[in-house]
Amino acid sequence: FCLSFKKHCDKIRVLRGEMMYNLFYYNITKMTDELYSKEFSKLPLLRQKQLLKKANIDDRKRSLAGDILTKRYLSKLYGVREDAIEIKRGEHGKPYVLNLPAHFNVSHSGKYTILAISDKPIGIDIEIIEEFSAILAKKLFNEDELSYIAGNGPSRKKSEMQRSFYEIWTAKEAYLKYLGSGISGGVNTLSFSLKNSKLVPNKNDIKLTYDFSVPGAVTAIVTPND
């Protein structure tokens, strides 16, 4: 990928699972204002306008990093020029590649942007582990999901409850992105049952995988179960 981006890029972790997917992480704190301006100027005018609508510079950098990673690594993995890659968006905004046998998905949280590329449909969501709303959890999650968060009750550490909450939340978000329906599909399109202290998705046609490579974050990846 372009030298200017590589120069300011953290070492990117590449993972291959049974589904032959690749994950790429980028820390936006490495994107200087100079680099941002340089890469921003290369975008089509419509995309520039879309980024400028975002609330702050970090939001713009996260989105720009996703654009750059997508083009760079689709080009690298499939051996085509970046300018030959056509990215379109579905009815609910999920991006897809028009002219390659590839699927990808992008997610952002905190200072990180993450990209997943696969030869089959894929959804990904990353969330930095932090405080969560117990009221929101009770409103959106079923009894088994709430029990998983609570664990052994009052003695459970707060950090463990936070991680459990985001394991559930990222899985639900990743599944919606896998479907391409976005949040409009309803966060409980994917729900869980608690069996032998483990959460089991209510969908048999998907595989749910977690990755904890990003410090202090949970990443959920959803792929077909075949």
Side-chain angles (χ1 to χ4, degrees):
F1 47 94
C2 85
L3 293 177
S4 61
F5 194 67
K6 184 176 181 180
K7 179 181 177 181
H8 298 277
C9 195
D10 275 354
K11 182 178 180 182
I12 295 175
R13 179 176 173 84
V14 181
L15 302 175
R16 287 189 179 273
E18 294 177 6
M19 279 297 303
M20 293 299 290
Y21 60 77
N22 294 268
L23 303 184
F24 305 94
Y25 298 92
Y26 181 72
N27 184 335
I28 66 164
T29 64
K30 302 299 183 179
M31 185 184 291
T32 64
D33 291 341
E34 179 183 3
L35 177 57
Y36 169 81
S37 297
K38 181 176 181 179
E39 295 293 341
F40 180 87
S41 67
K42 298 177 183 178
L43 297 174
L45 184 59
L46 177 59
R47 184 57 176 154
Q48 290 183 6
K49 290 180 178 179
Q50 290 173 340
L51 289 189
L52 289 174
K53 290 180 180 179
K54 295 188 177 295
N56 58 62
I57 187 63
D58 282 351
D59 285 341
R60 296 169 193 168
K61 285 184 176 181
R62 279 186 282 266
S63 291
L64 178 59
D67 289 358
I68 296 170
L69 288 176
T70 299
K71 286 290 186 77
R72 298 297 189 270
Y73 284 100
L74 284 173
S75 172
K76 186 178 180 68
L77 291 172
Y78 289 88
V80 298
R81 300 190 323 272
E82 288 184 33
D83 59 8
I85 297 172
E86 295 185 60
I87 305 295
K88 300 292 183 181
R89 289 187 177 272
E91 180 182 356
H92 298 286
K94 182 179 181 179
Y96 63 94
V97 194
L98 187 64
N99 56 340
L100 287 176
H103 298 265
F104 74 94
N105 205 215
V106 177
S107 184
H108 325 88
S109 186
K111 59 188 179 182
Y112 289 98
T113 292
I114 183 171
L115 164 71
I117 297 178
S118 176
D119 58 347
K120 295 185 179 181
I122 191 165
I124 190 167
D125 188 63
I126 182 172
E127 297 290 343
I128 301 299
I129 299 173
E130 55 188 11
E131 295 281 353
F132 67 89
S133 169
I135 295 175
L136 178 66
K138 289 179 180 179
K139 181 179 179 180
L140 296 179
F141 292 174
N142 66 35
E143 290 186 8
D144 280 4
E145 293 164 352
L146 292 173
S147 295
Y148 180 72
I149 295 172
N152 295 323
S155 63
R156 194 170 197 215
K157 292 180 180 179
K158 182 178 181 180
S159 60
E160 294 173 340
M161 295 177 69
Q162 290 172 333
R163 173 167 161 157
S164 295
F165 172 88
Y166 283 104
E167 286 178 7
I168 297 170
W169 185 265
T170 55
K172 290 173 181 284
E173 290 278 359
Y175 181 64
L176 289 174
K177 295 175 73 177
Y178 166 80
L179 294 177
S181 61
I183 197 69
S184 63
V187 71
N188 283 320
T189 303
L190 178 70
S191 59
F192 293 87
S193 297
L194 193 59
K195 297 180 180 179
N196 299 320
S197 299
K198 292 184 179 181
L199 280 181
V200 179
N202 67 347
K203 305 291 183 181
N204 295 322
D205 57 343
I206 63 165
K207 180 175 181 180
L208 171 62
T209 308
Y210 289 103
D211 183 81
F212 299 95
S213 300
V214 173
V218 176
T219 301
I221 305 104
V222 172
T223 53
N225 189 17
D226 55 25

